[in-house]
Amino acid sequence: AASLHRCQPGLLSRAVAEAGQVVLQAAPVVLGLAILEDAYDDTRRLVAVEPSKFFGDEKKLLEEARGYLPGLPTSEVDILVVDEIGKNFSGTGMDTNVIGRLRIQGSEEPASPRVKRIVALDVAPAAHGNAYGIGLADFTTRRLVDKMDRKAVYLNALTSTFVQRAMIPMTLPSHREALEAAIKSLGEVSPAKCRVIRIHNTLHLAEMLVSGPVLQEVSALPHIKVIGPEEEIHFSGDGSLLPF
């Protein structure tokens, strides 16, 4: 991984392909099995591929897989609240396709979705403290930062060379204060008009909480089902958001 990441980010896909050729020439590879997953993290399709067809078929299968990726219901978001980040959800802690951010020096950011502020609340237990990707957020909590295994995060960042993804964002004592800071940072946008989406993580997007302005936009979409009434945001005594 370190040797591949030494090249410029724009050349990484070429480097991976050339490394694959080296493997095929050096190892007795007899078959490849492509596993395509759907938006619910379940297996959608299995495809057996002969080594001679790897590079041609891989491109087609990758394009198909992209069509199954989960995503946010709207491309314009003021605040995205992510309950948990972690390597168990994505190699970058938060899936860059979902949040619309790369934070790779020299690389252009995706055109969509456009998320103004990201609040990362915690790191998943299964990540064992590896909060690599925390630098993709704008605000976080003391709880998350205290759980960080910095050795693991820094190793990940230095191996990939994408050091911005390991930078710790503005850190607040509680969920409430992190969310309030994110709202305040938007300037003249009033809380009632904020386009807010709250998700469990970037892998499991079947269920999410949205603010009124987002609900008005997406509730009529055929793939959206409103499963609960509108209600106020609730916090526990220590300022933590209640689970949903």
Side-chain angles (χ1 to χ4, degrees), residues 138-214:
D138 303 293
F139 300 91
T140 191
T141 64
R142 176 58 57 190
R143 179 185 302 173
L144 192 161
V145 173
D146 287 346
K147 291 180 180 179
M148 280 181 59
D149 179 345
R150 300 198 181 206
K151 182 178 180 180
V153 173
Y154 295 166
L155 176 61
N156 212 147
L158 293 173
T159 299
S160 68
T161 72
F162 305 152
V163 295
Q164 286 180 297
R165 294 177 175 180
M167 295 180 180
I168 298 175
M170 196 177 296
T171 304
L172 286 302
S174 67
H175 295 175
R176 178 193 286 272
E177 289 164 285
L179 184 55
E180 287 175 345
I183 293 172
K184 187 175 182 179
S185 74
L186 293 174
E188 295 182 354
V189 181
S190 68
K193 294 183 178 180
C194 268
R195 298 170 60 82
V196 183
I197 297 179
R198 180 187 174 193
I199 60 177
H200 296 295
N201 54 70
T202 57
L203 181 61
H204 303 108
L205 298 174
E207 180 182 292
M208 61 185 69
L209 295 178
V210 302
S211 63
V214 176

Side-chain angles (χ1 to χ4, degrees), residues 7-43:
C7 69
Q8 298 177 12
L11 298 176
L12 186 57
S13 60
R14 175 181 169 184
V16 171
E18 291 180 354
Q21 290 282 17
V22 172
V23 172
L24 289 175
Q25 293 169 5
V29 179
V30 295
L31 187 72
L33 189 64
I35 305 173
L36 282 70
E37 295 181 342
D38 63 18
Y40 301 95
D41 196 28
D42 293 323
T43 300

Side-chain angles (χ1 to χ4, degrees), residues 79-150:
I79 299 174
L80 176 65
V81 179
V82 184
D83 281 8
E84 290 185 324
I85 69 172
K87 299 281 287 184
N88 50 313
F89 305 127
S90 170
T92 50
M94 293 182 281
D95 190 331
T96 56
N97 295 293
V98 173
I99 65 175
R101 292 186 180 183
L102 294 176
R103 298 246 165 116
I104 298 175
Q105 196 169 28
S107 295
E108 187 176 352
E109 293 293 339
S112 180
R114 291 173 288 278
V115 180
K116 292 180 182 177
R117 302 288 186 269
I118 295 177
V119 182
L121 301 181
D122 208 340
V123 58
H128 303 292
N130 190 341
Y132 177 68
I134 183 60
L136 295 168
D138 303 293
F139 300 91
T140 191
T141 64
R142 176 58 57 190
R143 179 185 302 173
L144 192 161
V145 173
D146 287 346
K147 291 180 180 179
M148 280 181 59
D149 179 345
R150 300 198 181 206

Side-chain angles (χ1 to χ4, degrees), residues 32-37 43-49 61 64 68:
L33 189 64
I35 305 173
L36 282 70
E37 295 181 342
T43 300
R44 169 82 180 224
R45 197 155 78 94
L46 298 174
V47 184
V49 184
L61 291 169
E64 180 181 340
Y68 304 144

